[in-house]
């Protein structure tokens, strides 16, 4: 699902958003779940949904601290608080 979502990003965020959300909800323990949540937060940020983006970044930091995007999510949360 993660790679499907990444490929769908080329066509726009609509279908990739649904794929990443499905991955995060159906497979929360997957090694790709944190990346999916991070990309959902990134899509929210791009769409101007700041509160949703911050919630997503917070979820990455709290629930997926070992994921590759956890450091960047923490940095974006910090920047949002400044």
């Amino acid at each position: 699902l993660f790679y499907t979502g990444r490929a769908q990003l080329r066509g726009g965020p609509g279908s990739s958003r649904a794929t990443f959300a499905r991955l995060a909800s159906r497979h929360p323990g997957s090694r790709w779940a944190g990346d999916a949540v991070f990309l959902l937060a990134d899509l929210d940020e791009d769409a101007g949904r700041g509160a949703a983006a911050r919630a997503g970044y917070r979820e990455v930091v709290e629930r997926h601290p070992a994921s590759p995007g956890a450091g960047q999510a923490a940095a974006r949360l910090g920047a949002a608080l400044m």
Side-chain angles (χ1 to χ4, degrees):
L1 284 173
F2 179 76
Y3 290 115
T4 300
R6 291 290 300 232
Q8 290 169 336
L9 275 174
R10 292 185 201 119
S15 57
S16 62
R17 169 176 286 289
T19 301
F20 291 137
R22 188 174 9 183
L23 170 60
S25 67
R26 291 186 185 173
H27 308 284
S30 162
R31 67 179 276 202
W32 302 110
D35 291 333
V37 174
F38 179 85
L39 289 169
L40 284 168
D42 200 40
L43 290 170
D44 283 332
E45 188 173 19
D46 289 347
R49 293 186 292 265
R54 288 187 300 278
Y57 293 138
R58 190 171 295 108
E59 180 178 345
V60 173
V61 170
E62 293 174 357
R63 294 187 184 171
H64 308 282
S67 70
Q72 191 172 5
R76 290 189 182 182
L77 278 173
L81 295 174
M82 296 183 96

